[in-house]
Amino acid sequence: MVLGDLINEFVDAGVVKAMDTLLTSSDEAQVRTSAQTVAGAFLDAAEYTENTQNDEAKKHLLASFKKNAALLVQKTWVEGDDIAVKEQVLYKLDQISAAMEAGTWSKIYPTFREIIIDIVYLMFGIQSKSKDFDEYALRIDPEFGIFWWYFSNLPATADWSDSKCYYVLLLGILFLANY
């Protein structure tokens, strides 16, 4: 796992174990429980649970995610070369919104990862691509650093069910909807 022992200074062993289970299990109940445990490390776990069980809350959350992610991108100051990255992220956000509402989570997984990587790049610049960014993120903002640890451990591509992708991506959606 990314960050090795350093993450243990910020989260307890149960969260690290839950992350491992989240990545390796195909049992929906285990995935859901593990995701909730990981959520508790950088989110309100009760809010996570509500959004896995309530369609109205999920609909509101997806709208908040899109709005807040777009605002975050729009308000990020960038050099001229990165204006295209901003435009591309906003375009991708529009493109995945319908798929999120339709529940085709496995199809949007790669695009969602690209969006998160691009947003973090827009926020932190080239430093986000450095090998010590994980540690830097934990030190400057532990909540964000824990989120980045979670995100960095997700595979670039995943052959997971829609429900597993939903539980995994919900963590990122909740984080960005409230960041």
Side-chain angles (χ1 to χ4, degrees):
M1 286 197 167
V2 176
L3 287 178
D5 293 331
L6 180 61
I7 194 64
N8 294 321
E9 294 177 26
F10 294 88
V11 300
D12 65 43
V15 173
V16 175
K17 184 177 184 328
M19 184 67 191
D20 184 52
T21 302
L22 182 64
L23 294 172
T24 59
S25 180
S26 59
D27 178 84
E28 186 174 332
Q30 282 185 329
V31 168
R32 185 176 55 247
T33 301
S34 296
Q36 185 174 9
T37 299
V38 173
F42 61 88
L43 296 167
D44 178 354
E47 184 179 356
Y48 179 86
T49 301
E50 179 182 340
N51 283 287
T52 62
Q53 299 172 350
N54 181 326
D55 287 338
E56 193 59 38
K58 186 183 346 179
K59 192 177 202 178
H60 176 72
L61 173 66
L62 294 178
S64 292
F65 163 74
K66 182 180 177 187
K67 183 179 90 179
N68 288 352
L71 270 171
L72 184 61
V73 169
Q74 291 166 346
K75 293 196 179 268
T76 303
W77 182 86
V78 297
E79 296 287 336
D81 295 345
D82 291 332
I83 290 173
V85 175
K86 285 176 82 166
E87 291 171 356
Q88 185 178 36
V89 171
L90 295 171
Y91 175 77
K92 287 178 184 178
L93 278 169
D94 284 339
Q95 296 300 303
I96 69 166
S97 293
M100 289 172 130
E101 290 173 18
T104 53
W105 298 97
S106 58
K107 288 182 181 178
I108 67 160
Y109 179 90
T111 304
F112 186 84
R113 281 193 38 84
E114 291 170 12
I115 288 170
I116 300 294
I117 290 166
D118 288 345
I119 288 174
V120 171
Y121 170 76
L122 291 170
M123 291 170 58
F124 293 96
I126 196 70
Q127 183 169 6
S128 67
K129 305 213 184 271
S130 71
K131 69 177 187 158
D132 62 342
F133 180 70
D134 299 336
E135 181 177 349
Y136 172 78
L138 272 171
R139 303 272 185 218
I140 64 159
D141 181 351
E143 184 179 76
F144 175 79
I146 294 167
F147 165 74
W148 189 247
W149 162 77
Y150 148 77
F151 183 79
S152 296
N153 278 292
L154 296 179
T157 59
D159 187 21
W160 294 337
S161 68
D162 275 334
S163 64
K164 180 170 181 169
C165 286
Y166 170 68
Y167 293 122
V168 168
L169 295 181
L170 182 59
L171 293 164
I173 292 166
L174 272 166
F175 184 80
L176 284 178
N178 296 299
Y179 190 68

